């Protein structure tokens, strides 16, 4: 039977603090325990304790499983009046013992532990994965204890426990030797039974700490129990079921190693994510630890409002460290608020609280050298995926055994599974110490450490995406480095430990972390991580230096963490000119974490989130350089809309361009429009919302406001009634500043267009550009449009995606022929135009020199339609510069007329023939004209077969003959922005 690993804490450091007299007293009290208190304990040898020293006594007690030995130790310390040791023991029991909450919850999800979900005799591979310290290994060891107690004996006859930390110390061996290393009683006959048995459980603990070279796990796999192989090969042979094919395997690992595991594991496979303490668990833990409810809830609220620290407390050990740190501060009547501001400030207090204070009130200066050694070991461990180190290694680096013991508690613990080894109490503590390694000035005497630095990457490597993907533990390490550079943290390190922070680290951080993303301001994942780093620093001057290069940002706020960090960093981003913002449903509308709380707590949390939002929105009224704001696909609520609009209504900002696209709730647009009414700096406004029918009425308030400077207005996505369009049209008659009106994608219809045209015709408005794309217009509205285009101020008109037909074009051309008409750009994309419509347009072009841009894309023009247009291009009065014929069903035969027209025309600079199958013959005809030096074209789009070498050679000849010509391949998406629509943008 495999010896069960301990689940509780290690008693040895406490017992070793007893002097000889106290140790004798402890033994006497232990021996005097009543028989009934030990009757159910496993092999408690009273006769062996007389000659035991502290270390040996701890080993005897640790041989008793569950928590009996720990609680008995506390009781004995109390009787001895060693309150200090009793308190330390209780602290550690709380730190380690509370894993039972987690283990019982997740044990029920494991198939072989729950008869209700165990179906048939199938063997399983179960992977317990989760972040550091959430209870994966504890759960695995608890299963070992359950088997020892007989709870799993019916399911498994043999159970083997393999700890990867221990396995790293082993050389090549056979699988038989590997599983039998703690079971010497196993003989060859037993191994033969085990090899074929289904009643075998193999626990592989801490897979993420296994040392192996890249790719080693999938090569040289063996299927023989007695073949000698390196340990990683033997483990991969177990995982792939080449060895012990019928055994059940339980693996514990951190998430970053899952990818490697998935390559080896077969079916049936069960993944169980261990998340540690739930929010309710954390609250109960605080109440239990503090005992005083007021203090407990005060501490809990502080941590809960810390968006980065609270998730860390899902690990029971971190929860214990946090409680211990905050309780100590409260006992000293100190305000713990500052401690909870960042993860760095809290872990710095955890480190300082580890040591007793000297006469000057500070920890002992003699800790400087051993702490540096510890920081070096921590950094090396983070890079090599290990949390433990050998005592001999620490000694070689200059750390004495007595100095190592000083760190036991908040920082280090003896590795129970590996004699002579120590491990950091939690990954976050290790990452924090590793961060100290990076920020300290290097001294000459540290040259002997070079051999131990070889695995540690520099700051440049630490912040590369490639390294972080391979080792996610580097991310939190980076946050701690930023946090330690704050003036307060640096001062505390220097004052309490005599450390000096390197003066060049800040510049290095800017160089390797911040500056690389300044050219990619819209890559939110990189910007989000940078915000987190800068927030951790809590250094306003540093943030200003870091954010100085950014004039344009795109934010995607998913949770309170995003919002908190962005609010802090934007205050220092004084050069920001353009901001794009997206807020997901989970932030305010569908916050599941809020819905699960009692009403009072929910209200408190909502108020906290609103205060963070208010802090975030303050930048709109304080940043003088911000001129452009784009809020899209955002889900707000009444309170957050009001806060935002209050800041947008402030006269202190200089916003010029605002885009609001698909924002909920729908009534938010009323508040936004009210906020923009008196904004004299606002020149460009876009309002888009699916199904919103009040936008025309709301915009009426803005365009009629006295002193309005609005020049560009875009309304889209609405389904307003005719009366609302009438109200909006009437409002336009009083506005003198509007020069561009974009009503794309509105259900305007012919009646709405009639009202609009009437108002624009009768007023003295300054409208120059008008887009009525996809507004459900027919040829009937063109009579009204024909009157409108006679206005000499109108220069751009877009009627794309409306079924105008040839009759509509004829009516439109009548108005365009008027001498007062000065239209320059006409977009008739996908308007149902054929050859007859082209005939009318051809005649217009031959007598209308002002019309220079014409888009006829997505119309079936036919052969005759192109002939009509080519006649116009040959005419001396035609001034057309840009002609778009994308997807107009042109054929190779048409290219003869087009080639002839290009030879005559001296004005056309842009021609779009994309999505037309012109064939090799048609393109050759075109190239005859293109090679002419008299051809004015500078841009041509063609559909060319890139694999046709003959065509490629021909294109090269054209470029050599006509170097000013750019030939573009037809690879743009017509569903996106069309080239001609650029003339209608801001």
């Amino acid at each position: 039977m495999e010896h069960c690993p301990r689940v509780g804490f290690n008693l040895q450091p406490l017992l070793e603090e007893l002097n000889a007299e106290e140790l004798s007293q402890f033994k006497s009290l232990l021996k005097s325990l009543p028989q009934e208190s030990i009757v159910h304990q496993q092999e408690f040898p009273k006769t062996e304790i007389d000659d035991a020293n502290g270390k040996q006594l701890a080993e005897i007690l640790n041989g008793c499983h569950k928590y009996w030995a720990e609680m008995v130790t506390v009781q004995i310390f109390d009787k001895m009046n060693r309150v200090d040791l009793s308190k330390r023991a209780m602290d550690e029991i709380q730190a380690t013992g509370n894993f039972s909450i987690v283990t019982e919850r997740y044990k029920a999800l494991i198939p072989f532990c729950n008869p209700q979900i165990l179906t048939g005799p199938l063997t399983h591979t179960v992977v317990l994965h989760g972040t550091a310290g959430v209870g994966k290994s504890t759960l695995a060891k608890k299963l070992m204890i359950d088997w020892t107690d007989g709870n799993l004996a019916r399911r498994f006859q043999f159970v083997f426990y393999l700890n990867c930390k221990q396995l790293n110390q082993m050389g090549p061996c056979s699988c038989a030797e590997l599983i039998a290393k703690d079971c010497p009683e196993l003989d060859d006959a037993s191994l033969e039974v085990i090899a074929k048995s289904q009643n075998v459980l193999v626990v592989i603990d801490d897979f993420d700490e296994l040392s192996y070279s890249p790719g080693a796990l999938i090569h040289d796999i063996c299927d023989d129990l007695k073949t000698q192989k390196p340990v990683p090969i033997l483990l991969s042979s177990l995982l792939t079921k080449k060895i012990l094919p019928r055994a059940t395997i339980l693996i514990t690992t951190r998430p970053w190693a899952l990818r490697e595991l998935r390559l080896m594991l077969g079916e049936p496979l069960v993944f169980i994510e261990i998340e540690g303490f739930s929010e309710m668990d954390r609250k109960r833990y605080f109440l239990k630890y503090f005992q005083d409810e007021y203090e407990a809830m005060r501490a809990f609220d502080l941590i809960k409002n810390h968006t980065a620290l609270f998730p860390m407390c899902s690990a029971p050990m971190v929860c214990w460290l946090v409680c211990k740190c905050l309780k100590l501060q409260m006992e000293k009547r100190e305000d713990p608020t500052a401690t909870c501001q960042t993860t760095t400030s809290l872990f710095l207090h955890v480190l300082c609280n580890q040591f007793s204070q000297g006469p000057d009130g500070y920890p002992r200066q003699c800790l400087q050298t051993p702490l540096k050694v510890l920081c070096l070991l921590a950094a090396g461990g983070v890079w090599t995926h290990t949390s433990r180190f050998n005592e001999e290694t620490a000694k070689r680096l200059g750390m004495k055994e007595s100095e190592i013991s000083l760190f036991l508690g908040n920082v280090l613990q003896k590795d129970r599974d590996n004699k002579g080894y120590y491990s950091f109490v939690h990954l976050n503590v290790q990452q924090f110490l590793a961060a100290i390694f990076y920020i300290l000035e290097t001294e000459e005497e540290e040259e002997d450490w070079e051999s131990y630095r070889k695995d540690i990457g520099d700051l440049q490597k630490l912040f590369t995406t490639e390294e972080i993907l391979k080792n996610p533990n580097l991310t939190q390490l980076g946050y701690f480095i930023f946090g330690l550079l704050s003036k307060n943290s640096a001062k505390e390190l220097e004052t309490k430990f005599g450390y000096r922070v390197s003066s060049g680290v800040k510049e290095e951080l800017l160089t390797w972390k911040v500056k690389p993303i300044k050219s990619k301001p819209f890559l939110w994942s990189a910007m989000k991580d940078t915000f987190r780093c800068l927030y951790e620093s809590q250094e306003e001057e540093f943030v200003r230096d870091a954010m100085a290069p950014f004039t344009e940002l795109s934010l995607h706020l998913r949770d309170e963490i995003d919002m908190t960090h962005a609010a802090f960093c934007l205050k220092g981003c004084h050069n920001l000119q353009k901001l794009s913002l997206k807020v997901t449903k989970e932030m305010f509308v569908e916050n599941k974490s809020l819905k699960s709380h009692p009403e009072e707590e929910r209200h408190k949390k909502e108020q906290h989130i609103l205060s963070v939002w208010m802090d975030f929105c303050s930048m709109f009224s304080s940043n003088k350089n911000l001129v452009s704001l784009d809020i899209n696909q955002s889900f707000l609520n009444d309170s957050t809309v009001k806060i935002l609009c209050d800041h947008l209504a402030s006269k202190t900002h200089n916003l010029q361009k605002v885009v609001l696209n698909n924002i909920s709730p729908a009534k938010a647009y009323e508040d936004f429009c009210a906020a923009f009414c008196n904004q004299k700096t606002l020149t460009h406004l876009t309002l888009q919302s699916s199904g919103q029918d009040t936008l025309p009425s709301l915009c009426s308030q803005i365009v009629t406001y006295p002193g309005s400077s609005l020049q560009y207005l875009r309304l889209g996505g609405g389904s307003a009634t005719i009366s609302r369009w009438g109200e909006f049209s009437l409002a336009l008659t009083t506005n003198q500043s509007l020069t561009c009106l974009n009503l794309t994608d509105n259900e305007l219809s012919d009646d709405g267009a009639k009202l609009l045209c009437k108002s624009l015709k009768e007023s003295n408005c300054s409208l120059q550009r008008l887009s009525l794309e996809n507004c459900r217009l027919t040829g009937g509205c063109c009579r009204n449009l024909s009157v409108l285009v006679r206005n000499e101020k109108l220069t751009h008109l877009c009627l794309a995606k409306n079924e105008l037909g040839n009759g509509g074009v004829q009516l439109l051309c009548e108005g365009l022929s008027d001498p007062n008409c000065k239209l320059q750009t006409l977009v008739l994309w996908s308007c149902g135009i054929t050859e007859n419509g082209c005939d009318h347009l051809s005649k217009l072009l031959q007598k209308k020199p002002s019309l220079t841009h014409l888009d006829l894309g997505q119309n079936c023009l036919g052969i005759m339609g192109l002939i009509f247009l080519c006649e116009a291009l040959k005419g001396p009065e035609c001034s057309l510069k840009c002609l778009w014929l994308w997807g107009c069903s042109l054929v190779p035969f048409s290219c003869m007329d087009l080639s002839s027209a290009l030879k005559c025309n001296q004005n056309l600079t842009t021609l779009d023939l994309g999505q037309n199958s012109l064939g090799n013959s048609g393109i050759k005809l075109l190239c005859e004209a293109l090679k002419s030096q008299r051809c004015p074209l500078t841009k041509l789009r063609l559909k060319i077969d890139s694999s046709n070498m003959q065509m490629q050679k021909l294109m090269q000849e054209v470029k050599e003959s006509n170097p000013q010509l750019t030939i573009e391949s037809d690879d743009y998406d017509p569903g996106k922005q069309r080239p001609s629509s650029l003339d209608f943008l801001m």
Side-chain angles (χ1 to χ4, degrees), residues 490-695:
K491 182 180 178 181
E492 194 161 3
L493 280 174
E494 184 171 354
T495 303
K496 297 189 176 182
F497 298 103
Y499 288 147
R500 296 190 63 182
V501 175
S502 173
S503 57
V505 176
K506 282 189 177 182
E507 186 56 38
E508 280 198 74
L509 291 180
L510 291 177
T511 300
W512 304 122
K513 178 61 181 175
V514 181
K515 290 180 180 178
I517 64 167
K518 69 179 182 181
S519 60
K520 300 177 284 186
F522 293 107
L523 187 60
W524 171 238
S525 58
M527 201 72 242
K528 174 180 178 178
D529 190 59
T530 300
F531 279 0
R532 167 70 192 275
C533 288
L534 294 174
Y535 177 83
E536 194 69 26
S537 76
Q538 288 296 302
E539 198 67 48
E540 294 181 5
E541 183 180 349
F542 182 50
V543 172
R544 283 197 298 271
D545 291 342
M547 298 305 296
F550 294 94
T551 59
E552 196 169 355
L553 287 175
S554 179
L555 309 184
H556 188 176
L557 306 183
R558 290 184 171 88
D559 51 36
E560 186 187 341
I561 298 178
D562 290 346
M563 187 165 58
T564 301
H565 298 162
F568 178 78
C569 294
L570 288 180
K571 289 178 182 178
C573 195
H574 298 308
N575 297 324
L576 187 64
Q577 299 174 19
K578 297 181 180 179
L579 177 64
S580 176
L581 176 65
K582 183 177 181 180
V583 181
T584 61
K585 276 185 178 181
E586 291 73 21
M587 179 71 80
F588 302 117
V589 181
E590 293 184 359
N591 194 320
K592 295 179 181 179
S593 64
L594 287 180
K595 293 179 180 179
S596 62
H597 287 72
E599 185 175 351
E600 183 179 350
E601 286 189 27
R602 185 166 63 248
H603 176 72
K604 188 187 298 184
K605 184 66 175 177
E606 286 173 348
Q607 291 305 306
H608 173 72
I609 293 176
L610 282 180
S611 68
V612 178
W613 175 249
M614 191 176 299
D615 193 32
F616 174 83
C617 291
S618 65
M619 64 89 55
F620 295 117
S621 55
S622 63
N623 190 323
K624 303 293 183 182
N625 293 313
L626 188 67
V627 295
S628 177
L629 173 63
D630 184 342
I631 306 177
N632 63 88
Q633 302 294 328
S634 292
F635 298 85
L636 307 175
N637 56 33
D638 293 342
S639 300
T640 52
V641 169
K642 185 180 185 306
I643 292 171
L644 176 57
C645 288
D646 285 346
H647 286 282
L648 292 176
S650 168
K651 294 183 179 180
T652 58
H653 67 69
N654 294 306
L655 278 177
Q656 298 173 18
K657 299 180 180 181
V658 175
V659 176
L660 304 176
N661 181 19
N662 285 331
I663 298 175
S664 67
K667 62 180 180 179
Y669 287 87
E670 297 180 23
D671 296 309
F672 283 121
C673 288
F676 295 138
C677 271
N678 63 346
Q679 299 301 315
K680 294 185 178 180
T681 60
L682 189 64
T683 58
H684 293 65
L685 177 62
T686 295
L687 300 177
Q688 291 181 273
S689 178
S690 302
Q692 175 66 269
D693 63 351
T694 62
L695 290 184

Side-chain angles (χ1 to χ4, degrees), residues 356-575:
S356 59
Q357 295 182 337
D360 56 356
Y362 297 120
R364 290 164 286 188
Q365 296 292 321
C366 64
L367 293 167
Q368 186 180 96
T369 298
L371 183 56
K372 264 189 177 179
V373 173
L374 211 54
C375 292
L376 172 67
L377 293 170
V382 171
W383 280 92
T384 56
H385 301 290
T386 181
S387 61
R388 69 189 185 94
F389 60 89
N390 191 303
E391 183 178 337
E392 292 303 315
T393 302
K395 288 179 180 178
R396 282 196 298 271
L397 290 169
M399 196 175 185
K400 303 173 184 175
E401 185 176 358
S402 59
E403 291 173 335
I404 297 176
S405 64
L406 292 174
F407 293 91
L408 293 173
N410 293 356
V411 178
L412 293 178
Q413 60 187 358
K414 287 196 173 185
D415 197 315
R416 302 184 190 98
D417 299 318
N418 300 273
K419 188 175 181 180
Y421 280 79
Y422 293 88
S423 61
F424 297 95
V425 295
H426 190 269
L427 174 62
N428 292 148
V429 173
Q430 181 181 357
Q431 290 164 325
F432 177 76
L433 294 173
I436 296 178
F437 166 80
Y438 277 97
I439 59 102
L440 297 183
E441 288 187 345
T442 303
E443 299 177 2
E444 292 182 3
E445 59 264 30
E446 294 174 6
E447 291 181 359
D448 295 338
W449 293 6
E450 284 306 314
S451 61
Y452 297 97
R453 295 173 181 264
K454 59 180 174 30
D455 294 323
I456 303 174
D458 57 18
L459 283 178
Q460 179 182 3
K461 188 176 182 181
L462 188 151
F463 288 114
T464 58
T465 303
E466 179 184 359
E467 290 298 328
I468 291 173
L469 287 174
K470 289 193 298 185
N471 188 354
N473 295 337
L474 297 176
T475 301
Q476 181 61 49
L477 170 57
Y479 298 153
F480 280 138
I481 292 174
F482 273 85
L484 286 169
L485 290 178
S486 73
K487 291 179 180 178
N488 290 337
S489 297
K491 182 180 178 181
E492 194 161 3
L493 280 174
E494 184 171 354
T495 303
K496 297 189 176 182
F497 298 103
Y499 288 147
R500 296 190 63 182
V501 175
S502 173
S503 57
V505 176
K506 282 189 177 182
E507 186 56 38
E508 280 198 74
L509 291 180
L510 291 177
T511 300
W512 304 122
K513 178 61 181 175
V514 181
K515 290 180 180 178
I517 64 167
K518 69 179 182 181
S519 60
K520 300 177 284 186
F522 293 107
L523 187 60
W524 171 238
S525 58
M527 201 72 242
K528 174 180 178 178
D529 190 59
T530 300
F531 279 0
R532 167 70 192 275
C533 288
L534 294 174
Y535 177 83
E536 194 69 26
S537 76
Q538 288 296 302
E539 198 67 48
E540 294 181 5
E541 183 180 349
F542 182 50
V543 172
R544 283 197 298 271
D545 291 342
M547 298 305 296
F550 294 94
T551 59
E552 196 169 355
L553 287 175
S554 179
L555 309 184
H556 188 176
L557 306 183
R558 290 184 171 88
D559 51 36
E560 186 187 341
I561 298 178
D562 290 346
M563 187 165 58
T564 301
H565 298 162
F568 178 78
C569 294
L570 288 180
K571 289 178 182 178
C573 195
H574 298 308
N575 297 324

Side-chain angles (χ1 to χ4, degrees), residues 215-264:
L217 296 182
I218 57 175
H219 295 293
D220 201 24
I221 294 175
C222 68
D223 56 3
D224 180 37
L225 274 174
K226 295 187 178 181
T227 302
Q228 297 270 326
K229 293 284 184 181
V231 169
I233 300 300
L234 297 178
L235 282 185
S236 59
S237 301
L238 283 169
L239 294 172
T240 55
K241 298 294 181 75
K242 296 297 182 181
I243 297 178
L244 307 186
R246 306 186 69 193
T248 296
I249 297 178
L250 178 80
I251 310 160
T252 73
T253 183
R254 294 177 193 170
W256 68 266
L258 285 176
R259 182 178 178 276
E260 194 78 31
L261 272 174
R262 289 179 186 273
L263 296 175
M264 297 181 287

